[in-house]
């Protein structure tokens, strides 16, 4: 009993001592990053908040108008579609960008060097190309009269539908092209994550008679989970900005607003409408939306990791 | 590459090959179209055939004739290299701080890192413009490089990897009297080579393909990058010049491809091969 | 090392202490988005500089999508371009946000504006002043696949004169060849539909820019004709913009309705693929043709008097008939000078390239593109774009869709007013 008390006491003393002597090392390591982010990301963001509350005139922010810009954005006929589509973009991208690359990376990981390298290189190629060109090439491939797909299914007596001009399908094309562009990127990240898994673990499990599935489920996925979380969060954060280029090149948000999203909307306010106030308000709404999704995701993920 | 550590059953492996092959085909087909089009004369571009009937190098000549392409390439190569180097270093420091130390406000600070990923420059165009003006960085390499040196994405990824790093290793090294930089350099870095390699590729490609930022910053050929250059072949009003565009894209993919091949060897290396067991 | 330092110091001090000489040339910035025509433009600038030793022009290429906003931002920090190309339809937005200089305030009190045809000049007028002069203007025409016309048993030398004829001929192309007869380029969201509405006699906006006014009976009928072509005849290619362009260039669509600005590119792509002709934008019945322009004007933003004077000199030079006529011939845009049709250089080129001549003949039919006021321009454009999409896809008839769009645009104009 006294021993325990003593222990508690010493720990407390140590703790206060540590608190008194502030460790400067993390501050030094963080300084360059923090300074740069503060200056080039958060300072503009703060100004954005400011701009969102004002009406702009010829020389700059002029008149305080409170929530008017936000209300104006919400009143926009396209806002509803853009917000809904943003969620579709984010959630439907997750299976393709987050989950599909996991088995692909595992397959590549278990393969011999030659084949593995071939697949890895092939799957990574789209990442290297300008997204404008990728979008143009996909328009050609999907062309309902003379595209690649039509020339494959045409002889079978089938007719390729015009996927990009159909309200029901256009958004899926853009999600697909976005995923296509990024899949190699994410496979690469998973491979980097897999490389940290020690052979000893696998061998130990093997000795216990574990099959492939068990190794995958019990060892690889849990050890890969930090990378999975990373990929999941970057998918949430980047998807609606990533699809900006294919939207702009392929559909311009149409047909009938079916492919527009919040990022595209904000961009249009900024660059096609002289409407800085709305674009600032819209940007903050995006920030809020993504923040909420990420917070929810982190909580969900923590639970998931806990239970498995 | 490391020897395979997981022996998947034959049928499963077959499934794997099929999926990968289909995915690879879906990737190679469009790429053939890019390459093929780059060798087509203008009147074959919309012809529907993936490769040219009449092979021409004219598009490649056009790229060099219509643009100071060499200058753009130099700007791109130099700024991308400097920027990626800086990004890696700064991100490694920050990630190390997050993973290694327990300090007050760590959670909040990390949330701000995540938050920073959500603010692309398109959304903050006006404030950024005003800021760059104050700094006098329009049309300079500094303007292309410095504002992008802090890469939240990279900090996040490295932190995820460093968290899995056994703490005993730091302590053992610290016990040997190594200072923090020494630990980072000779203990941490060798063990995260794969992710550093992957990150190098990712950052390089990201910067190499960037369009919006250089568009804001650059004004003359003095600082313009290849991505700005290739947009010269796109013209919504008068029709795109797709032949030279595809030629230019083929050319500018090559440096990124080279970086990929240089780094990819590292990416699948394992802890085992470096001799550390977790 | 020290030598280097020394020479650096000397160099720096010599730069800093250089006397400001009145004879030193003023350098003005000129922002534009001309890609393929850049060489022609720089040549003109060189000639201007040779004729005006006191002025240097630094031309900078800017991406069209960001150009207007970049001017707005640059204006705020006092580094606006002295002269810039701005899309004609954005004129009002620029006036409201970026303080362009009224051109009547130039040293010659705007006398140089007489070098521009009055219907063209109207595109830059706002609230009693002229803020912009036309520069790279287009007019819509019908590009024709003459081979497909022949295959359908039509005479390619007798292209449709009216929209009603275009519908008939289109149906024939569809029935005889199985291919799509036509597509209309949206020309950047709302330009395509605007041209159809205005050509049918409607005005997009009221004189005071306060409401949309395009839902006239004739305009509704014009939109209904489009819908009937798409839904009843199924002769319209209702694909995306780029898909349609590729298809036309591959010889798969009979007619392409778009700006003459596309001529040179289309000509290059069609060469050896099909025999391409150009016809006038069809009239609406017997009504006279009225076609809104597409393309960009030039505006002045300089603040310092010295630069402003130089900018005016440059602009006046750029507006000289011999300069604008040559620019038109070399770039394929419309000439803008009064009576340009009869200028030697234009006549010579028309004689050589009759297809381009079709556009020149439409000069007198040009009216100003709709210049939407307020801060909700994109929304307004999307309303029009969506109206046309809904028509093509048969979602409601013109008699309901067109007035609904008019009403919504009027609401957006009011909501976006300052």
């Amino acid at each position: 009993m006294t021993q325990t008390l003593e222990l508690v006491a010493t720990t407390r003393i140590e703790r206060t001592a540590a608190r008194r002597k502030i460790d400067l090392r993390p501050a030094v390591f963080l300084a360059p990053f923090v300074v740069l982010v503060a200056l080039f990301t958060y300072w503009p963001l703060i100004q954005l908040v400011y701009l969102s509350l004002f009406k702009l005139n010829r020389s700059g922010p002029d008149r305080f108008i409170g929530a008017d810009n936000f209300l104006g954005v919400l009143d926009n006929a396209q806002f509803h579609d853009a917000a809904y589509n943003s969620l579709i973009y984010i959630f439907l991208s997750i299976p393709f960008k987050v989950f599909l690359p996991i088995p692909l990376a595992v397959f590549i990981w278990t393969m011999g060097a030659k084949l593995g390298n071939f697949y890895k290189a092939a799957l990574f190629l789209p990442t290297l190309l300008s997204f404008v060109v990728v979008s143009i090439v996909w328009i050609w491939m999907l062309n309902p009269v003379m595209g690649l797909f039509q020339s494959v299914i045409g002889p079978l007596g089938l007719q390729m539908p015009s996927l990009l001009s159909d309200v029901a399908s256009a958004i899926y094309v853009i999600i697909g092209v976005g995923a296509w562009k990024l899949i190699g990127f994410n496979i690469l990240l998973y491979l980097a994550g897999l490389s940290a898994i020690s052979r000893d673990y696998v061998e130990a499990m093997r000795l216990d008679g574990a099959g492939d599935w068990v190794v995958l489920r019990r060892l690889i996925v849990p050890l890969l989970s930090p990378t999975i979380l990373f990929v999941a969060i970057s998918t949430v954060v980047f998807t609606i900005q990533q699809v900006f280029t294919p939207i702009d090149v392929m559909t311009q948000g149409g047909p009938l607003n079916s492919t527009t999203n919040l990022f595209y909307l904000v961009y249009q306010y900024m660059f096609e409408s002289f409407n800085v106030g709305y674009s600032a308000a819209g940007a903050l709404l995006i920030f809020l939306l993504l923040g909420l999704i990420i917070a929810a995701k982190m909580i969900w993920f923590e639970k998931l990791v806990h239970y498995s | 590459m490391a020897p395979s550590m997981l022996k998947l059953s034959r049928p499963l492996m077959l499934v794997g090959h099929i999926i990968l092959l289909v995915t690879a085909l879906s990737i190679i087909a469009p790429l053939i179209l890019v390459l093929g089009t780059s060798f087509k004369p203008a009147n074959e571009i919309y012809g529907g055939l993936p490769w040219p009937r009449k092979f021409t190098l004219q598009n490649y000549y056009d790229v060099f004739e219509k643009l100071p392409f060499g200058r753009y390439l130099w700007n791109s190569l130099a700024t991308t290299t400097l920027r990626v180097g800086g990004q890696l270093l700064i991100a490694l420091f920050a990630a190390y701080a997050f993973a290694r130390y327990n300090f007050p406000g760590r959670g909040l600070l990390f949330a701000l890192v995540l938050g920073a990923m959500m603010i692309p420059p398109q959304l903050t165009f006006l404030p950024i413009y005003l800021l760059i003006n104050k700094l006098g960085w329009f049309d300079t390499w500094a303007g292309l490089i410095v504002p992008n040196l802090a890469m939240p994405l990279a900090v996040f990824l490295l932190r995820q990897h460093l968290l899995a790093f056994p703490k005993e290793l730091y302590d053992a090294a610290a016990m040997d009297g190594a200072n923090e930089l020494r630990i980072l350099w000779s203990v941490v870095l060798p063990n995260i080579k794969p992710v550093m390699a992957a990150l190098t590729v990712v950052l390089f490609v990201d910067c190499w393909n960037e369009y919006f930022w250089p568009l804001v910053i650059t004004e003359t050929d003095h600082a313009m990058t290849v991505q700005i250059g290739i947009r010269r072949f796109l013209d919504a009003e008068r029709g795109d010049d797709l032949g030279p565009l595809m030629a230019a894209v083929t050319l500018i993919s090559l440096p990124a491809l080279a970086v990929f091949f240089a780094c990819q060897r590292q990416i699948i290396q394992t802890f085992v091969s470096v001799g550390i067991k977790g | 090392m020290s030598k280097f330092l020394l020479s650096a110091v000397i160099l720096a001090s010599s730069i800093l202490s250089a006397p400001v000489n009145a004879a030193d040339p003023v350098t003005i910035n000129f922002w534009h988005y001309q890609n393929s025509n850049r060489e022609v433009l720089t040549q003109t600038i060189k000639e201007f500089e040779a004729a005006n030793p006191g002025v240097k022009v630094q031309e900078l290429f800017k991406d069209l999508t960001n150009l207007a906003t970049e001017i707005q931002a640059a204006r705020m920090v006092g580094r606006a371009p002295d002269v810039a190309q701005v899309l004609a339809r954005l004129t009002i937005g620029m006036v409201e946000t970026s303080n362009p200089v009224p051109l009547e305030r130039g040293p010659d009190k705007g006398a140089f504006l007489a070098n521009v045809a009055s219907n063209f000049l109207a595109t830059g007028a706002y609230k009693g002043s002229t803020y912009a002069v036309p520069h790279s203007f287009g007019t819509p025409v019908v590009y024709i696949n003459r081979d497909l016309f022949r295959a359908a048993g039509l005479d390619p030398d007798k292209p449709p004169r009216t929209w009603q004829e275009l519908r008939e001929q289109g149906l024939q192309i569809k029935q005889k060849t199985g291919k799509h007869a036509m597509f209309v380029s949206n020309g950047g969201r709302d330009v395509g539909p605007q041209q159809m509405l205005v050509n049918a006699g409607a005005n997009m906006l009221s004189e005071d820019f306060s409401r949309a006014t395009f839902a006239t009976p004739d305009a509704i009928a014009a939109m209904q004709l489009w819908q009937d072509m798409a839904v009843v005849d199924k002769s319209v290619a209702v694909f995306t913009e780029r898909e349609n362009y590729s298809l036309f260039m591959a010889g798969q669509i009979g007619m392409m309705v778009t700006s003459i600005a596309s001529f040179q590119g289309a000509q290059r792509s069609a060469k050896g693929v099909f025999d391409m002709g150009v016809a006038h934008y069809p009239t609406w019945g017997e009504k006279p043709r009225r076609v809104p322009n597409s393309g960009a004007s030039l505006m002045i933003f300089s603040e310092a008097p010295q630069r402003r004077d130089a900018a005016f000199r440059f602009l006046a030079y750029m507006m000289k008939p011999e300069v604008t006529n040559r620019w038109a011939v070399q770039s394929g845009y419309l000439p803008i000078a009064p009576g340009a049709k009869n200028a030697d250089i234009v006549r010579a080129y028309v004689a050589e390239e009759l297809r381009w001549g079709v556009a020149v003949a439409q000069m007198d039919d040009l009216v100003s593109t709709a210049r939407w006021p307020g801060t909700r321009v994109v929304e307004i454009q999307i309303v029009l774009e969506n109206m046309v999409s809904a028509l093509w896809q048969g979602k409601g008839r013109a008699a309901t869709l067109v007035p609904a769009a008019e009403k919504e645009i009027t609401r957006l104009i009011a909501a976006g007013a300052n």
Side-chain angles (χ1 to χ4, degrees), chain A residues 253-276:
Chain A
L256 294 171
N257 306 339
S258 63
T259 56
T260 189
N261 72 26
L262 289 176
F263 185 81
Y264 196 62
L265 196 77
V266 169
Y267 186 88
Q268 288 177 331
Y269 278 134
M270 187 71 227
F271 292 102
E272 295 176 38
S273 252
F274 303 101
N275 202 335
V276 176

Side-chain angles (χ1 to χ4, degrees), chain B residues 182-202:
Chain B
R182 178 108 231 137
I183 295 175
L184 197 57
W185 183 253
S186 51
V187 181
V188 177
L189 204 54
N191 285 303
I192 54 164
K193 264 191 195 164
V195 68
M196 286 299 271
L199 197 57
T200 306
V201 175
V202 165

Side-chain angles (χ1 to χ4, degrees), chain C residues 46-278:
Chain C
K46 277 199 195 112
E47 288 165 16
F48 165 76
E49 287 175 341
N52 295 271
V55 184
K56 287 249 169 280
V57 180
Q58 167 81 55
E59 55 92 28
L60 295 177
F61 168 81
K62 293 280 174 182
D63 191 295
L64 176 59
T65 41
N66 296 349
L67 183 57
T69 302
E70 219 175 316
I71 294 171
Q72 192 184 359
R75 180 73 183 57
M76 281 185 192
V77 297
R79 59 196 302 281
D82 298 282
V83 179
Q85 235 185 357
V86 177
L87 287 177
R89 62 180 170 78
L90 299 180
T91 310
I92 296 181
M94 289 315 291
V95 173
E96 303 275 323
T97 58
S98 307
N99 275 349
V101 181
L103 301 178
E104 288 85 358
R105 264 190 231 160
D108 68 351
K109 305 274 179 266
F112 74 100
L113 298 175
N115 284 335
V116 181
S118 59
N119 57 332
F120 282 66
L121 205 54
T123 60
Y126 182 54
K127 289 188 178 164
S129 295
T130 305
Y131 290 95
V133 282
H135 185 252
S136 305
F137 270 22
T139 183
V141 292
V142 184
Y143 293 80
I144 284 177
N145 182 332
R146 292 166 59 93
D147 294 342
L148 269 183
F149 265 62
R150 287 188 202 100
L154 293 165
D155 181 356
D157 292 322
K158 288 189 186 142
R161 270 185 329 108
T162 64
W163 275 100
Q164 289 77 4
E165 273 180 38
L166 189 143
R167 181 179 176 190
E168 282 164 31
Q169 298 194 1
L171 188 59
Q172 197 167 333
I173 291 173
K174 175 74 188 173
Q175 285 168 345
K176 291 274 171 61
T177 66
K179 300 206 154 112
H180 289 290
M182 176 200 78
F183 88 91
V184 183
S185 163
N186 65 25
R189 298 196 187 281
D190 64 332
V191 176
Q194 249 191 60
Q195 286 161 344
M196 185 69 171
L197 293 162
V198 172
N199 187 50
N203 289 319
M204 296 308 290
L205 277 159
S206 61
E207 294 261 314
D208 63 353
F209 298 95
S210 68
R211 4 176 228 109
T213 54
F214 55 79
T216 64
D218 270 320
I220 291 171
M223 287 293 119
Q224 189 56 49
L225 178 127
W226 270 9
Q227 179 170 59
D228 292 342
M229 285 185 74
V231 177
V232 182
D233 302 353
K234 298 199 185 311
S235 60
V236 178
V238 189
F239 304 128
T240 60
E241 191 79 11
R242 277 177 199 273
E243 280 177 329
N244 278 331
Y245 188 82
S246 312
L247 286 171
F248 180 76
M249 286 310 162
Q252 300 289 331
I253 299 182
M255 294 174 264
M256 165 168 83
V257 184
T258 192
S259 163
I260 193 64
S262 306
F263 177 64
Q264 292 175 346
Q267 193 185 27
R268 244 181 306 147
S269 299
K271 196 177 163 198
V273 181
F274 63 91
D275 180 8
M276 189 183 82
V278 174

Side-chain angles (χ1 to χ4, degrees), chain A residues 23 25-26 29-30 32-34 36-37 39-45 47-48 51 56 104 106-111 113 115 117 119-130 132-133 136-138 140-141 146 148 180-181 185 188-189 191-193 195-202 206 212 215-216 220 226-227 229-230 233-234 237-238 241 263 266-267 270-271 276 283 286-287 290-291 294 298, chain B residues 1 3-9 12-13 16-17 19-21 24 26-27 30-31 33-34 37 45-46 90 93-94 96-98 101 103 109 112-120 122-128 131 135 137 146-147 149-153 155-157 160-161 180 184 194-195 198 201-202 205 209 212 227 231 234 242 245-246 249 253 256-257 260-261 264 267-272 277:
Chain A
D23 190 352
R25 289 173 303 173
F29 278 117
L30 278 168
F33 183 82
V34 169
L36 286 164
V37 164
L39 185 59
F40 293 105
T41 308
Y42 280 101
W43 172 237
L45 184 71
Q47 292 201 300
L48 210 60
L51 287 172
L56 225 66
L104 293 183
V106 172
F107 281 131
I108 291 175
W109 185 52
T110 56
M111 258 168 214
L115 263 180
N117 278 343
Y119 284 134
K120 192 155 46 108
L123 267 51
F124 193 70
L125 283 173
T127 318
L128 304 177
L129 287 183
S130 133
V132 176
V133 168
I136 290 175
V137 169
W138 273 100
W140 289 349
M141 307 238 306
M146 51 178 203
L148 178 77
W180 179 88
K181 177 88 160 68
F185 225 83
L188 212 64
L189 295 175
L191 282 170
S195 72
I197 295 173
S198 156
R199 178 212 289 264
D200 293 2
Y201 286 151
V202 184
R206 285 275 181 223
D212 289 335
V215 175
L216 200 70
I220 294 178
T227 313
L229 179 69
F230 170 78
I233 287 185
S234 46
V237 170
F238 292 121
Q241 19 169 324
F263 185 81
V266 169
Y267 186 88
M270 187 71 227
F271 292 102
V276 176
I286 293 179
F287 194 68
L290 295 182
I294 287 174
M298 292 277 249
Chain B
M1 192 199 278
S4 97
M5 286 181 288
L6 189 66
K7 285 271 181 295
L8 296 176
S9 62
L12 199 59
M13 217 48 223
H17 275 295
I19 299 177
L20 282 168
L21 212 60
S26 88
I27 279 162
L31 298 186
L33 211 48
V34 174
T37 305
I45 284 174
Y46 300 102
I90 289 170
F93 282 171
Y96 183 67
F98 277 119
Y101 304 107
F103 53 90
L109 207 57
L112 287 175
V113 171
L114 289 186
M117 298 202 297
M118 293 186 248
I119 316 165
Q122 283 93 334
L123 298 189
T124 50
F125 171 78
L126 198 60
I128 292 259
L131 183 61
L135 293 165
W137 279 355
V146 180
L149 281 179
M151 194 70 171
L153 179 95
V155 176
F156 183 24
L157 180 69
Q160 293 299 84
H161 278 261
E180 293 295 318
L184 197 57
V195 68
V201 175
V202 165
V205 168
N209 285 340
F212 185 79
Q227 296 296 338
R231 294 286 177 123
L234 287 173
L242 293 178
L245 177 72
M246 299 293 170
V249 162
S253 308
L257 196 64
F260 171 76
F261 277 115
Q264 66 112 23
I267 293 168
I268 298 196
Q269 271 188 0
T270 65
F271 271 14
V272 182
K277 294 177 188 184

Side-chain angles (χ1 to χ4, degrees), chain B residues 147-176:
Chain B
N148 295 294
L149 281 179
M151 194 70 171
L153 179 95
V155 176
F156 183 24
L157 180 69
L158 288 175
R159 171 194 174 261
Q160 293 299 84
H161 278 261
L162 290 179
L163 282 181
F165 203 71
K167 280 240 186 261
E168 304 87 66
L169 276 177
Y170 299 131
D171 300 338
M175 214 91 84
D176 291 345

